[in-house]
Amino acid sequence: KSFKNPSVTYNFPDSFDKGLHVTSVGYDDFNYVKPYKVPRILSSRYVIHYVFSGSGKLFIEDNVYQVKAKQFFFLPADSKLYYYPNENDKWTYFWLTFSGDNAVDFVNTLFIGKKNPVVSAPDDLSEAELYAFAQEISNKKQVNYYKAKSMLYLIADALCKTQQTGGFINSLVKD
């Protein structure tokens, strides 16, 4: 499987969707793209990556995490971080950036965060759907905002399935 373009970012304009807004989506294949190892701070936005193949390292503050294929990794807002592929097993991933007034509450329902930034995908994850969306991005087709938002919810569903508790639904039932 290969993509038309090895690295593509699609940014969405400011949205009426101020509660939880997808700000950008992208795809990177580091077999063709040179990684940069510069620490950075993401202000007021969050990023979730899904690794299709390869492996790499994620550094958040003073912690180091190993990341491999079929895992999500999370970049928290307002944290010093950097990440890059392993030299002999370069990763290919899809990513989605989001922000908004409800972003913190949304992240808190996902069982992924600053203290647990790497999560293996559940067996029933629709990787084909994520892959098809990454293919659309790579082909530089017009990316529909609602399709991007649906990918955020597909990822949220997958992350909640990784937990025995059932995620946000169980917390609603308990209240």
Side-chain angles (χ1 to χ4, degrees):
K1 296 178 180 180
S2 65
F3 288 82
K4 186 174 182 179
N5 297 293
S7 181
V8 177
T9 299
Y10 189 88
N11 295 303
F12 295 102
D14 285 341
S15 169
F16 60 88
D17 194 2
K18 300 296 182 197
L20 186 63
H21 174 62
V22 175
T23 57
S24 60
V25 294
Y27 167 84
D28 290 296
D29 181 344
F30 286 91
N31 292 295
Y32 304 99
V33 177
K34 183 178 179 183
Y36 47 89
K37 297 181 182 179
V38 179
R40 54 187 161 166
I41 295 177
L42 303 172
S43 60
S44 303
R45 58 193 166 110
Y46 302 89
V47 185
I48 295 177
H49 293 73
Y50 178 74
V51 180
F52 291 112
S53 62
S55 61
K57 291 182 181 175
L58 168 64
F59 298 81
I60 300 177
E61 306 296 343
D62 295 326
N63 299 304
V64 181
Y65 304 91
Q66 299 295 323
V67 184
K68 61 185 179 184
K70 299 193 181 294
Q71 288 186 321
F72 293 100
F73 71 96
F74 176 74
L75 306 181
D78 305 317
S79 298
K80 184 179 176 184
L81 53 88
Y82 61 102
Y83 51 100
Y84 56 87
N86 287 330
E87 189 62 36
N88 297 323
D89 188 26
K90 295 178 180 163
W91 55 22
T92 298
Y93 58 61
F94 156 81
W95 53 266
L96 190 145
T97 304
F98 62 96
S99 64
D101 297 339
N102 299 328
V104 171
D105 292 333
F106 179 72
V107 168
N108 289 336
T109 69
L110 300 182
F111 304 102
I112 195 168
K114 190 173 186 174
K115 294 182 180 175
N116 183 35
V118 179
V119 175
S120 293
D123 292 337
D124 66 345
L125 172 70
S126 178
E127 185 177 273
E129 196 169 349
L130 286 175
Y131 190 85
F133 187 61
Q135 190 80 13
E136 278 183 44
I137 295 166
S138 175
N139 291 336
K140 293 187 176 182
K141 292 182 179 176
Q142 180 71 22
V143 178
N144 180 307
Y145 175 78
Y146 293 107
K147 177 81 177 250
K149 186 100 178 226
S150 74
M151 292 296 108
L152 177 61
Y153 289 124
L154 181 114
I155 292 167
D157 180 56
L159 290 169
C160 287
K161 285 178 182 177
T162 65
Q163 301 299 312
Q164 296 292 333
T165 62
F168 183 62
I169 300 302
N170 265 4
S171 69
L172 286 177
V173 173
K174 288 178 186 174
D175 292 344

